[in-house]
Amino acid sequence: MLYDLIVIGSGPAGQKAALQGARSGKRVAIIDDHPMLGGGCLHWGTMPSKSFRESVYRWSLSSRGSLGRDTDDAALTEKKATLPEMKRLLQRKNRVVEKDSQVVRENLEKCGVRIYHGRATLQTAHDVEIRSESGTKKISGAYIVVATGARPVSGPQVPVDGKLVLDSDSILSLKKVPKTMVVLGAGIIGCEYASMFSTAGTKVFLVDRRHEILASVDREIVDQLQGRFEQQDMEIVLEAEATKIEKQPGGKGVVVHLNTGRQIKAEVVLVAQGRRGNTENMGLEALGISPDERGLLKVDEHFRTVQTNIYAVGDVIGSPALASTSMEQGRIAACHAFRVEDGREMYRMPELYPYGIYTIPEISMVGRTEEDCRADRTVDLVIGRAHYRDVGRGQIVGDRWGLLKILFDRKTHKILGVHIIGDSAADLIHIGQAVMQLGGDLYYFINSVFNYPTLAEAYKLAAMDALNQIRKTS
Ligand SMILES: Cc1cc2nc3c(=O)[nH]c(=O)nc-3n(C[C@H](O)[C@H](O)[C@H](O)COP(=O)(O)OP(=O)(O)OC[C@H]3O[C@@H](n4cnc5c(N)ncnc54)[C@H](O)[C@@H]3O)c2cc1C
């Protein structure tokens, strides 16, 4: 079969590339080696973890959860007598994964995308072989998009067995919520799962070799998160690395040996120490496309590899490795291949995009951090802050930890960054993102009417806080 576009991988990056190609009137095929469509994002990444989070969060608000009792300090620190049932916490995830996979298939089919299941290998820059249990097929395409994603890695000293030592692909196969857990790696995935299990009542030890958690996030926001973690009885162990995991006889937990000499006993370990691109045995090297030591592919600003008809998008090209950015990369690659006119012919990722971190409480940010601005001598920084407890909706939802902080340039009043921790942070951030992107400034918030009561009102309060400071010093 001859196609205009062949997409390898049906995660967010591949889906959007395929849909854009089909909507541009092209003949498109998509290939995935998983029996269900949706990619790692749907089957073992974003969607399972966020569905699990939702269940844990809702459970925690119930009478048996620690957040359900007017969120006072005592309730947070109180030892939980009963842990929620893992089976029940996973019901939402199972429903979401099944339903969403159908939605992905329907969307692709509706647009006329031909779906193949099997493992894809590139024979030439235009020919793809698909191997599956039912045999081998060959298809050809003018353009190819590699969207094969990434998978977790673990060092030899922390071998993952999927039972006592788990990674983000296997953590939700746990049969019960453990009483104790060591999480190795305090990046986004490690912090998210540490916070979910901690909220469910697990005693979590969060271990990282660095001196801080979530290194790229605004420190004030991380301090808030860390305060919340510690109040929930999570122990954060920094500047420490696991040298060995000793399994207890009879599968009764593990002892994690750290290079500091400390030993931590726990029921299970979650290893969240990085990911590697899925690029092995795909025939890429023979075409001059050489993955780096982490299996990642190098691309230009339009997501082309050195073989210019072969694009690579999503986790397989590395940072930022988010579902959100992967989707846009996929769409842009297909637009570039077929020179789809979008009025601007940008075919590039926008410089400004948000990050969402689904810890409990959630974090979101766009633009520069306070640390970054302070290190820049050309910036005259003023920071407006609003606590959720100071807006009506914050009181209603009972989020007394929430904080929204906006970084402004004192002279131009332009927004340099927005950082939020608290309920709905990942949704709220888009207000700041839109105002930034459209060139608005502090007065947008001052002169706008916000729905009441909403958390969004915190933008206005934060802007007023900044304006007061500007007026005092001018
Ligand atoms: C635990 C966890 C939580 C996350 N949470 C978030 C979040 O909250 N928000 C967010 O934006 N991002 C999140 N991410 C990141 C997000 O899941 C990824 O960025 C996203 O899945 C990348 O999409 P992709 O299309 O590049 O690859 P994937 O979604 O990984 O899909 C790749 C697909 O290609 C298939 N494939 C691989 N090789 C071949 C081959 N040779 N032939 C055929 N098929 C092949 C794979 O089986 C897979 O189905 C999370 C990730 C993890 C692990």
Side-chain angles (χ1 to χ4, degrees):
M1 277 295 286
L2 186 63
Y3 291 96
D4 297 307
L5 175 66
I6 297 175
V7 178
I8 309 177
S10 72
Q15 277 168 53
K16 297 296 169 183
L19 289 172
Q20 180 61 54
R23 284 180 187 137
S24 311
K26 306 295 174 187
R27 283 162 305 163
V28 181
I30 194 164
I31 311 164
D32 203 293
D33 59 3
H34 193 271
M36 286 164 88
L37 298 175
C41 175
L42 182 54
H43 298 286
W44 49 87
T46 311
M47 294 300 276
S49 66
K50 265 72 270 184
S51 306
F52 182 70
R53 179 198 185 274
E54 191 66 28
S55 294
V56 170
Y57 183 58
R58 286 177 189 223
W59 176 85
S60 76
L61 295 174
S62 74
S63 59
R64 290 190 303 158
S66 57
L67 303 180
R69 295 167 224 164
D70 211 15
T71 61
D72 60 6
D73 292 353
L76 275 171
T77 47
E78 193 179 298
K79 283 264 174 281
K80 292 120 217 162
T82 48
L83 297 170
E85 258 183 83
M86 193 70 185
K87 206 169 133 200
R88 290 198 66 184
L89 293 178
L90 289 174
Q91 277 170 358
R92 182 186 312 274
K93 173 224 144 202
N94 296 338
R95 174 172 47 77
V96 168
V97 170
E98 197 186 317
K99 185 80 200 128
D100 216 34
S101 188
Q102 274 171 24
V103 170
V104 171
R105 176 173 287 275
E106 280 163 21
N107 283 342
L108 290 167
E109 284 176 347
K110 223 186 295 168
C111 289
V113 175
R114 174 73 201 268
I115 298 165
Y116 292 92
H117 286 284
R119 185 148 187 88
T121 318
L122 290 156
Q123 306 287 296
T124 72
H126 295 281
D127 301 307
V128 180
E129 184 185 83
I130 308 164
R131 274 172 195 252
S132 67
E133 280 174 6
S134 58
T136 302
K137 285 191 190 79
K138 284 200 178 133
I139 59 174
S140 305
Y143 293 98
I144 293 172
V145 170
V146 177
T148 48
R151 61 182 188 280
V153 286
S154 60
Q157 62 284 32
V158 288
V160 170
D161 64 10
K163 289 191 176 79
L164 295 176
V165 186
L166 302 117
D167 58 18
S168 61
D169 283 2
S170 51
I171 185 74
L172 295 183
S173 66
L174 279 173
K175 296 283 176 283
K176 64 184 185 66
V177 175
K179 289 200 180 80
T180 47
M181 173 188 273
V182 173
V183 177
L184 298 175
I188 296 180
I189 294 174
C191 283
E192 285 187 351
Y193 272 123
S195 92
M196 292 176 215
F197 280 98
S198 172
T199 303
T202 304
K203 165 78 188 179
V204 175
F205 300 86
L206 179 61
V207 180
D208 200 290
R209 69 169 84 94
R210 289 163 291 193
H211 68 282
E212 58 189 6
I213 68 168
L214 294 173
S216 58
V217 180
D218 189 279
R219 284 301 94 190
E220 186 178 0
I221 298 292
V222 175
D223 286 348
Q224 286 279 108
L225 181 73
Q226 219 162 311
R228 176 73 173 264
F229 278 178
E230 284 163 2
Q231 197 161 18
Q232 269 183 197
D233 202 25
M234 189 192 299
E235 194 178 329
I236 300 171
V237 185
L238 297 173
E239 298 179 319
E241 228 172 310
T243 52
K244 188 169 84 171
I245 297 180
E246 190 189 331
K247 292 183 187 161
Q248 302 288 80
K252 292 209 168 73
V254 293
V255 179
V256 180
H257 294 251
L258 301 180
N259 60 350
T260 55
R262 183 169 173 192
Q263 298 179 4
I264 307 175
K265 274 190 189 170
E267 275 182 36
V268 292
V269 179
L270 168 65
V271 182
Q273 294 181 324
R275 298 175 67 77
R276 168 174 189 88
N278 293 325
T279 44
E280 290 89 357
N281 308 319
M282 284 191 64
L284 291 163
E285 293 83 352
L287 300 173
I289 306 170
S290 303
D292 70 11
E293 65 287 353
R294 291 173 55 219
L296 302 176
L297 301 180
K298 203 168 162 6
V299 289
D300 69 10
E301 59 188 344
H302 306 300
F303 304 104
R304 285 178 300 192
T305 64
V306 287
Q307 276 285 351
T308 52
N309 73 309
I310 302 182
Y311 292 73
V313 288
D315 281 13
V316 78
I317 62 167
S319 176
L322 296 167
S324 52
T325 47
S326 299
M327 289 185 213
E328 190 57 5
Q329 291 170 357
R331 191 187 72 83
I332 289 170
C335 282
H336 185 261
F338 301 119
R339 298 295 191 273
V340 175
E341 287 288 340
D342 67 353
R344 290 168 296 160
E345 278 199 24
M346 282 172 64
Y347 310 134
R348 281 187 195 103
M349 274 298 275
E351 277 173 26
L352 200 65
Y353 52 82
Y355 280 78
I357 302 176
Y358 294 86
T359 42
I360 301 173
E362 74 190 43
I363 290 175
S364 200
M365 60 201 172
V366 65
R368 300 172 72 175
T369 62
E370 180 180 342
E371 292 69 38
D372 179 32
C373 292
R374 293 214 185 276
D376 181 349
R377 282 163 185 265
T378 64
V379 173
D380 191 356
L381 181 66
V382 60
I383 303 175
R385 291 182 180 80
H387 290 274
Y388 278 23
R389 60 174 179 262
D390 296 328
V391 294
R393 186 82 190 179
Q395 287 294 340
I396 292 169
V397 298
D399 185 339
R400 65 192 179 84
W401 291 77
L403 169 70
L404 183 147
K405 121 180 203 187
I406 315 180
L407 314 182
F408 295 103
D409 182 290
R410 190 182 296 269
K411 288 188 203 76
T412 63
H413 301 150
K414 289 282 181 206
I415 307 160
L416 303 168
V418 181
H419 301 269
I420 313 176
I421 180 166
D423 261 28
S424 306
D427 278 310
L428 282 175
I429 201 71
H430 295 109
I431 298 174
Q433 180 193 1
V435 179
M436 277 177 93
Q437 192 104 41
L438 295 171
D441 63 17
L442 183 147
Y443 287 99
Y444 169 83
F445 301 114
I446 301 286
N447 296 324
S448 294
V449 174
F450 286 80
N451 274 331
Y452 180 85
T454 56
L455 293 172
E457 225 201 320
Y459 274 101
K460 188 163 181 132
L461 249 64
M464 281 176 163
D465 179 38
L467 189 59
N468 282 341
Q469 294 172 55
I470 293 169
R471 284 189 177 143
K472 269 188 212 155
T473 51
S474 56

